[in-house]
């Protein structure tokens, strides 16, 4: 009998798990937040992922439950585990992707390299942190932030006065970094683990705009250290499925952990067309405890460029004939989302043996979808 994978969340990550799951003979069910979401093709239920009975009813028809995002409450996850549902990643791991203060504390216990940080409960505590860190710091809400949301660079506690009512905040040193990197690791419940090449990411307005795999100018030592960090975190936290570790490379060539994601991640979209086994297939394999696939690159270079916003006066689909004619070697992935300024509505992948040419192809193809 075919395995059935349940995915909580109907966004683009769930959408991109569907095809590789079907190719593996896996049936897919999706609990979408509302009708018409990106993964609507496999949405067998709609409802609130924060409501236990809604998720419990959905989980009755699946063999394994996984996620399009990290926002399902701990009490829901733990109740499902008590029901005997196989949940991957489980709540013990997922809590560290849900709460940045918990993440920082646990990574300290694991000896992972991090920026200086502190939990600040009020303006006085934040002022003390600023005074010992050059007068500026990054302040984050511990829960719910993504794509630059819930993050502010401040020089005065008054700049986050509206956040203190929600409890303690995370204050981090303002890292002097030369670039941002991301390390992905896949881990099965049985413990088997596999790392992808470390990639360089380019952020614009807090959103990942591009990824280059492998990270250029890195060398073997960078790849080795990044993989060691990703492996240690996956094992130390007991992650199952895909783990993305966002990293800073500092100006003195150290690596520091920025944030974690326990699911397929924007920094790994390149792998759909650039690796033997893409991250979406790998996540399906991992959470179902199937043998992991080869994560080796298919070509020396792969570049992903996000389509942000999209055309505001017509559709993404109307641009396909022109982009496919001009760039027949690229792969375009769209998310079934209406264009909106700043919104991730798709991405373009290009691969090849000349980095400059691959970067050009990906950027030029993505430009067809802009106004």
């Amino acid at each position: 009998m075919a395995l059935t994978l349940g995915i909580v969340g109907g966004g683009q990550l769930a959408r991109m798990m569907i095809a590789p799951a079907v190719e593996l003979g896996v049936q897919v069910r999706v609990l979408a937040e509302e009708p018409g979401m990106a993964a609507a093709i496999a949405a067998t239920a709609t409802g609130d992922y924060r409501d236990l009975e809604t998720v419990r009813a959905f989980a009755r028809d699946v063999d394994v439950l996984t996620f399009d995002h990290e926002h399902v409450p701990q009490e829901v996850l733990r109740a499902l585990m008590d029901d005997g549902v196989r949940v991957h990643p489980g709540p013990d791991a997922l809590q560290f992707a849900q709460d940045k203060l918990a993440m920082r504390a646990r990574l300290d216990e694991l000896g992972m390299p991090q920026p200086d940080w502190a939990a600040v409960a009020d303006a006085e505590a934040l002022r003390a942190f600023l005074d010992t860190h050059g007068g500026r710091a990054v302040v984050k809400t511990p829960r719910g932030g993504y794509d630059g949301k819930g993050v502010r660079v401040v020089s005065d506690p008054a700049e986050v006065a509206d956040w203190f009512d929600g409890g303690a905040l995370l204050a981090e040193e303002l890292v002097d970094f030369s670039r941002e990197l991301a390390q992905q690791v896949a881990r099965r419940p049985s413990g088997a683990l596999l790392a992808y090449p470390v990639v360089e990411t380019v952020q614009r307005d807090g959103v990942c705009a591009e990824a280059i795999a492998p990270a250029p100018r890195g060398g073997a030592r960078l790849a080795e250290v990044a993989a060691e960090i990703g492996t240690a975190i996956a094992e130390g936290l007991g992650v199952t499925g895909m783990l993305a570790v966002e990293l800073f490379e500092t100006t003195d060539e150290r690596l520091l952990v920025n944030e974690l994601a326990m699911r397929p991640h924007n920094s790994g979209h390149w792998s759909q067309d650039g690796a033997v086994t893409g991250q979406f297939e790998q996540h399906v394999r991992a959470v179902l405890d199937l043998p992991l696939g080869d994560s080796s690159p298919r070509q020396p270079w792969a570049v992903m460029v996000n389509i942000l916003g999209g055309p505001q006066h017509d559709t993404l689909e109307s641009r396909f004939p022109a982009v496919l004619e001009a760039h027949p070697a690229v792969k375009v992935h769209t998310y079934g989302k209406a264009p909106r300024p700043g919104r991730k509505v798709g991405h373009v992948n290009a691969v090849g043996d000349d980095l400059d040419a691959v970067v050009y192809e990906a950027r030029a193809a993505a430009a067809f979808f802009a106004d």
Side-chain angles (χ1 to χ4, degrees), residues 283-305:
H283 186 76
V284 172
R285 287 177 179 237
V287 299
L288 293 174
D289 209 14
L290 298 172
L292 298 177
D294 186 349
S295 61
S296 302
R298 291 183 178 276
Q299 294 281 342
W301 298 104
V303 174
M304 184 280 304
V305 175

Side-chain angles (χ1 to χ4, degrees), residues 1-2 4 9 41-42 51 53 95 116 127 137 140-141 174 182 189 199 232 237-238 243 258 279 357:
M1 182 182 294
T4 300
I41 190 173
D51 179 70
E53 293 310 315
Q95 64 181 317
D116 287 340
R127 171 56 66 192
K140 301 178 180 179
T141 56
L174 193 60
V199 306
L237 302 186
L243 167 71
N258 180 20
Q279 65 166 344

Side-chain angles (χ1 to χ4, degrees), residues 202-333:
V202 178
Q203 315 293 317
R204 296 196 184 102
D205 299 323
V207 177
C208 180
E210 298 181 5
I212 303 173
R217 308 181 310 281
R221 182 56 182 159
L222 175 75
E224 180 182 348
V225 172
E228 288 173 353
I229 290 171
T231 297
I233 292 174
E235 292 178 334
L237 302 186
V239 176
T240 47
M242 291 298 302
L243 167 71
V245 182
E246 297 182 60
L247 299 161
F248 294 128
E249 183 177 23
T250 66
T251 53
D252 58 356
E253 298 184 338
R254 293 179 298 139
L255 295 184
L256 301 177
V257 177
N258 180 20
E259 296 193 355
L260 306 178
M262 296 181 191
R263 50 175 169 74
H265 188 256
N266 205 151
S267 64
H269 288 350
W270 69 272
S271 66
Q272 285 177 288
D273 306 296
V276 175
T277 308
Q279 65 166 344
F280 297 101
E281 178 182 341
Q282 199 75 281
H283 186 76
V284 172
R285 287 177 179 237
V287 299
L288 293 174
D289 209 14
L290 298 172
L292 298 177
D294 186 349
S295 61
S296 302
R298 291 183 178 276
Q299 294 281 342
W301 298 104
V303 174
M304 184 280 304
V305 175
N306 267 322
I307 302 170
L308 299 174
Q312 302 302 300
H313 305 293
D314 55 12
T315 65
L316 287 168
E317 292 75 16
S318 69
R319 307 291 176 93
F320 268 82
V323 68
L324 298 181
E325 177 71 25
H327 302 283
V330 304
K331 299 295 184 181
V332 181
H333 302 269

Side-chain angles (χ1 to χ4, degrees), residues 8-363:
V8 177
Q12 65 259 28
L13 301 182
R15 177 190 180 99
M16 288 183 278
M17 290 184 219
I18 296 168
V22 170
E23 290 169 357
L24 290 170
V26 175
Q27 296 184 12
V28 179
R29 306 284 186 269
V30 172
L31 174 61
E33 291 86 338
E34 57 190 33
M37 295 189 69
I41 190 173
T44 56
T46 58
D48 188 350
Y49 59 80
R50 297 165 296 186
D51 179 70
L52 172 58
E53 293 310 315
T54 297
V55 183
R56 178 177 271 157
F58 174 73
R60 290 193 187 106
D61 297 325
V62 307
D63 294 298
V64 171
L65 197 70
T66 192
F67 311 98
D68 171 85
H69 55 70
E70 292 107 340
H71 305 313
V72 181
Q74 281 283 309
E75 57 269 24
V76 172
L77 298 174
R78 294 188 184 280
L80 294 171
M81 297 281 285
D82 290 342
D83 290 347
V85 178
R86 289 191 288 168
V87 178
H88 296 297
D92 287 344
L94 203 59
Q95 64 181 317
F96 300 112
Q98 294 176 326
D99 188 315
K100 294 180 178 65
L101 284 172
M103 176 198 75
R104 288 291 180 218
R106 181 64 179 132
L107 292 184
D108 269 352
E109 292 174 354
L110 293 175
M112 294 295 100
Q114 303 190 86
D116 287 340
W117 68 277
V120 293
D122 52 35
E124 182 179 354
L126 178 53
R127 171 56 66 192
F129 188 87
L130 289 166
D131 289 345
T132 56
H133 290 84
R136 298 186 76 206
V138 178
V139 179
K140 301 178 180 179
T141 56
R143 304 180 71 89
Y146 67 97
D147 284 348
K149 300 177 179 68
V151 179
R152 294 177 187 169
V153 178
V154 307
S155 55
D156 190 296
E159 296 174 76
V160 289
D162 56 317
W163 283 356
F164 278 119
D165 288 344
L169 303 175
L170 171 62
E172 298 177 349
E173 68 169 309
L174 193 60
V175 174
D176 184 16
F177 63 89
S178 58
R179 59 176 174 169
E180 296 186 63
L181 306 171
Q183 174 65 57
Q184 283 196 303
V185 174
R187 184 174 180 271
R188 295 169 60 182
S190 56
L193 185 146
L194 186 149
Y196 281 80
V198 64
V199 306
E200 179 176 341
T201 62
V202 178
Q203 315 293 317
R204 296 196 184 102
D205 299 323
V207 177
C208 180
E210 298 181 5
I212 303 173
R217 308 181 310 281
R221 182 56 182 159
L222 175 75
E224 180 182 348
V225 172
E228 288 173 353
I229 290 171
T231 297
I233 292 174
E235 292 178 334
L237 302 186
V239 176
T240 47
M242 291 298 302
L243 167 71
V245 182
E246 297 182 60
L247 299 161
F248 294 128
E249 183 177 23
T250 66
T251 53
D252 58 356
E253 298 184 338
R254 293 179 298 139
L255 295 184
L256 301 177
V257 177
N258 180 20
E259 296 193 355
L260 306 178
M262 296 181 191
R263 50 175 169 74
H265 188 256
N266 205 151
S267 64
H269 288 350
W270 69 272
S271 66
Q272 285 177 288
D273 306 296
V276 175
T277 308
Q279 65 166 344
F280 297 101
E281 178 182 341
Q282 199 75 281
H283 186 76
V284 172
R285 287 177 179 237
V287 299
L288 293 174
D289 209 14
L290 298 172
L292 298 177
D294 186 349
S295 61
S296 302
R298 291 183 178 276
Q299 294 281 342
W301 298 104
V303 174
M304 184 280 304
V305 175
N306 267 322
I307 302 170
L308 299 174
Q312 302 302 300
H313 305 293
D314 55 12
T315 65
L316 287 168
E317 292 75 16
S318 69
R319 307 291 176 93
F320 268 82
V323 68
L324 298 181
E325 177 71 25
H327 302 283
V330 304
K331 299 295 184 181
V332 181
H333 302 269
T334 56
Y335 305 159
K337 292 182 171 183
R340 190 174 69 205
R343 190 183 203 187
K344 293 178 187 173
V345 294
H347 64 271
V348 171
N349 286 334
V351 301
D353 57 11
D354 181 275
L355 178 57
D356 289 341
V358 175
V359 169
Y360 166 76
E361 285 288 320
R363 289 177 178 172

